[in-house]
Amino acid sequence: MNLNKTRNIQLLAGCICLSMAACSDDAPSTGGGQTGAVDDVSYIGKAVGNFSADEWYPGGELGTTLNVSEGCYEDETPATTNMGLTDQFNRGEMFFERNVTIDTPPFNGLGPASVRKSCIDCHPGYGHGKRQDSYKAGFGNGYLLVIYHPDDGANSNDGPYISEVTGMPQTQAVSPFLPPVDEDKITITWKNVTAMESGLSMTFPNGGDSYELIYPEVTIDPSAFNTYPVPTNYAVRLESTIGIIGTGLIDAIPDDSLKKQYELTARYSEVNPAMWDKEANDWASTAYYTNWTSPGALADGTAVTGKIKRYTYALTRASLQDGAGANAMWNIPNVSRPDRPKLYTTQAWADAMSMNADVISAIKRDPTSPYYADGTDEGIADAVKNLLSPNTNQFDNKWHNFTPDMSTDNFYAFMVWHRGLSIPRARNLNDPDVQRGKKLFMEMGCATCHRPSWTTGDDNYWTPDVIKGRPLPKYPKQKIYPYSDFVQHKLYMANDIHGSWCRTTPLWGRGLSLINTGAEDRLHDCRARNEVEAIMWHCYSKKSQAYDSAYKFYNLPKADRDAVVKFLRSI
């Protein structure tokens, strides 16, 4: 648990880190390491070159930590400190970092099936997941399986999720149950791109150095599925988690500001019709997140029926308090709480477990099991079928009444922590190479999608009824620099993301990924091992909405490409 809780301590830590750094100032052309540190402490908060003074604070004054050393992704925001919420923040952090157990309070509640046993498994060091060669649920594996029915052949990226397993498929189970998907029968094969679909050479024209691109292909043997029925005609993609830093600041961006961005984007680019109705020049009805676990209200008590989606690659979540982390604490380890009385499972899995003779036999030998019922095979099967069902209220049913695993107080602390995570300050903005990198980034048009700045509103955030009236960190009127338009685009990569549309990932703080997580992998499935590979995937196809910008990078002299990379590592 990181203890840098005040700005003075954070500044001291940053100074110590910089004074001890002995890295070269030369950024390698293909990534591979952190930006070489220069003496920038005396410049913090000052305008330098083409950077304004506030660009040192990507999360604004209320959302930025001055700490840039190892562990800085864990810091609380100044707003959290100022509001006297540090104790709740620290308590909430424990629920992120600790493994969920079956029955050891307060970390009890591991569901009968789960995706992971802890949040930090998917977000190592609070950052992006790491590239994996095999699918083993454990620390660093931020991969989520996407299993779906391809809608126009085996190579299609599009199509509905299969119904036999959950949307985030589970590969773990507690005894005596079997996991919905047996991870030993999941195969990840990394393929090398031998030729760019766009026709570009894999050697840069200016500088002569080459680049490599890889991508994963994933297969799951039908025998891996412990469901009834077993799915057929399916395809698989991988999606990695992204860093969780600064998510509360994203929540504070007003819906009206997002609408202006969509209006602008729709003038020159195709946009996802599920989010934007170009003919009406307005939100599509499906752009609103309305699947609240409770009616809830804004922080000032105002009722609200929906909020514009802004989280996940597929833009499936809106408010942080009812999506993203709030949702993940329930559906990743399957921890119940007062506002989440049902399991994250499927009936196909529940049915399969109720038909499994080994499962029935194991429960029959244990009269203390909540699934024991009357002790007969039929009674046990009926209890298993219904208690594992996603339709059963775990706290009020005729088979066995469980109690909530996570208390409201602990859920509140978890929300304080999640909304209270800061963004590290920018680094080396006084470096001429970083300044040149920014200039090139803007000239190439990268900022069209990786929009540098937003201004938060009053931050009258939505809150669920279960924690109504309890304060969360607030970020009103902050100029922030996430470097994302929060709009989905298409890149047309080989073996592309499910659904084809992918939200622009924020770039802030990513230059500190190596010292916080031990890896620098980028893009939705960690296929890019560094910044250069990530950029070149943007021009793999001429159909890519980012082709022109990436093509300009491709044609830069090596020194300029290095400057762009150095800039990306500094913001």
Side-chain angles (χ1 to χ4, degrees):
M1 186 179 298
N2 195 287
L3 299 179
N4 292 321
K5 300 303 181 186
T6 69
R7 293 176 68 82
N8 289 334
I9 293 176
Q10 291 160 358
L11 178 58
L12 176 61
C15 294
I16 292 172
C17 173
L18 289 165
S19 67
M20 293 177 66
C23 303
S24 166
D25 287 347
D26 296 326
S29 63
T30 57
Q34 297 300 124
T35 303
V38 297
D39 184 9
D40 65 356
V41 174
S42 62
Y43 294 92
I44 297 172
K46 298 178 181 177
V48 286
N50 54 355
F51 289 97
S52 60
D54 57 9
E55 287 182 81
W56 287 99
Y57 307 99
E61 290 284 344
L62 293 177
T64 304
T65 175
L66 295 180
N67 178 20
V68 294
S69 61
E70 181 181 356
C72 61
Y73 282 0
E74 302 176 35
D75 285 358
E76 68 184 59
T77 59
T80 306
T81 309
N82 296 344
M83 293 175 66
L85 296 173
T86 296
D87 287 346
Q88 290 90 339
F89 179 91
N90 290 338
R91 183 169 182 80
E93 183 177 54
M94 292 192 300
F95 291 95
F96 174 83
E97 294 185 345
R98 289 283 296 267
N99 277 345
V100 177
T101 67
I102 298 174
D103 56 6
T104 306
F107 306 105
N108 59 298
L110 185 65
S114 60
V115 181
R116 298 288 188 280
K117 293 180 181 178
S118 75
C119 300
I120 202 168
D121 279 351
C122 280
H123 300 276
Y126 293 50
H128 196 286
K130 300 179 182 181
R131 186 169 57 88
Q132 306 289 320
D133 293 323
S134 62
Y135 195 94
K136 298 293 182 183
F139 184 78
N141 181 9
Y143 282 143
L144 300 174
L145 296 168
V146 181
I147 311 174
Y148 64 100
H149 297 296
D151 62 6
D152 60 359
N155 295 320
S156 170
N157 303 313
D158 305 326
Y161 291 104
I162 66 172
S163 61
E164 290 82 1
V165 298
T166 51
M168 289 185 285
Q170 299 151 324
T171 61
Q172 300 183 123
V174 300
S175 180
F177 304 117
L178 303 176
V181 185
D182 182 348
E183 63 184 22
D184 289 334
K185 298 178 181 179
I186 302 170
T187 301
I188 300 176
T189 304
W190 287 93
K191 302 285 189 177
N192 289 291
V193 171
T194 56
M196 299 282 276
E197 184 182 289
S198 60
L200 296 183
S201 169
M202 299 194 73
T203 298
F204 290 107
N206 293 311
D209 51 328
S210 61
Y211 61 93
E212 296 180 351
L213 298 181
I214 61 173
Y215 63 91
E217 286 188 350
V218 189
T219 58
I220 301 178
D221 191 276
S223 64
F225 293 95
N226 294 304
T227 62
Y228 180 79
V230 171
T232 58
N233 183 35
Y234 57 86
V236 188
R237 294 288 188 269
L238 291 176
E239 288 184 13
S240 176
T241 54
I242 64 172
I244 55 176
I245 53 176
T247 41
L249 293 158
I250 295 171
D251 200 43
I253 296 173
D255 286 359
D256 286 348
S257 296
L258 290 169
K259 184 174 184 178
K260 290 177 181 178
Q261 179 63 48
Y262 272 86
E263 289 174 338
L264 177 63
T265 303
R267 293 176 193 167
Y268 60 81
S269 177
E270 181 187 8
V271 288
N272 188 348
M275 288 295 297
W276 188 256
D277 184 336
K278 290 190 74 168
E279 184 175 344
N281 197 35
D282 203 350
W283 295 117
S285 60
T286 48
Y288 294 90
Y289 182 75
T290 57
N291 189 30
W292 310 114
T293 55
S294 63
L298 300 182
D300 65 2
T302 303
V304 63
T305 56
K307 189 173 174 65
I308 296 301
K309 298 171 185 175
R310 64 195 68 198
Y311 296 111
T312 77
Y313 299 113
L315 287 179
T316 56
R317 298 284 182 263
S319 171
L320 186 64
Q321 289 70 251
D322 198 72
N327 202 52
M329 178 51 75
W330 166 66
N331 61 19
I332 297 299
N334 230 334
V335 172
S336 68
R337 59 178 190 257
D339 64 325
R340 298 285 177 116
K342 297 181 180 180
L343 290 176
Y344 184 62
T345 55
T346 65
Q347 194 61 53
W349 179 67
D351 289 348
M353 292 303 96
S354 72
M355 299 176 191
N356 187 290
D358 291 338
V359 169
I360 302 302
S361 178
I363 294 172
K364 196 169 186 177
R365 293 193 299 269
D366 180 14
T368 66
S369 170
Y371 306 94
Y372 187 77
D374 61 5
T376 66
D377 288 1
E378 295 78 11
I380 293 171
D382 185 58
V384 169
K385 177 184 178 73
N386 287 283
L387 286 174
L388 296 187
S389 170
N391 302 311
T392 298
N393 186 321
Q394 297 288 302
F395 315 144
D396 184 14
N397 62 78
K398 70 177 185 178
W399 298 277
H400 179 86
N401 288 325
F402 296 89
T403 57
D405 299 314
M406 188 179 214
S407 71
T408 297
D409 287 346
N410 287 336
F411 173 59
Y412 168 65
F414 184 73
M415 283 292 93
V416 169
W417 165 81
H418 206 328
R419 210 170 202 272
L421 284 170
S422 64
I423 285 290
R425 71 163 176 86
R427 287 82 54 209
N428 306 335
L429 304 188
N430 53 307
D431 186 329
D433 289 340
V434 174
Q435 294 170 14
R436 187 167 85 258
K438 178 187 178 182
K439 180 175 182 290
L440 292 165
F441 184 87
M442 300 300 177
E443 289 176 349
M444 291 185 296
C446 303
T448 301
C449 298
H450 287 284
R451 170 179 166 172
S453 68
W454 294 79
T455 300
T456 63
D458 295 330
D459 197 10
N460 187 20
Y461 54 79
W462 183 90
T463 185
D465 291 338
V466 70
I467 57 172
K468 181 179 180 180
R470 306 181 76 169
L472 297 172
K474 289 190 70 169
Y475 307 100
K477 310 302 181 185
Q478 300 294 293
K479 189 170 185 180
I480 62 175
Y481 289 83
Y483 281 86
S484 173
D485 58 2
F486 300 103
V487 175
Q488 291 172 307
H489 300 277
K490 288 185 177 182
L491 297 185
Y492 293 94
M493 296 184 286
N495 219 49
D496 209 350
I497 191 170
H498 172 250
S500 298
W501 293 99
C502 188
R503 188 202 71 166
T504 306
T505 299
L507 300 177
W508 56 2
R510 290 299 306 277
L512 295 168
S513 179
L514 186 62
I515 64 169
N516 280 280
T517 74
E520 299 185 285
D521 305 313
R522 295 180 180 241
L523 298 183
H524 71 278
D525 54 11
C526 299
R527 65 176 61 196
R529 293 161 289 190
N530 51 64
E531 295 88 347
V532 170
E533 290 185 9
I535 294 169
M536 293 312 298
W537 270 115
H538 285 58
C539 59
Y540 171 78
S541 169
K542 286 186 177 180
K543 294 183 291 184
S544 167
Q545 292 183 350
Y547 177 81
D548 290 344
S549 295
Y551 180 69
K552 291 174 184 176
F553 176 85
Y554 170 78
N555 283 295
L556 289 176
K558 182 180 185 302
D560 283 347
R561 295 198 305 271
D562 289 349
V564 172
V565 170
K566 204 168 188 182
F567 161 71
L568 292 173
R569 295 183 182 179
S570 296
I571 56 175

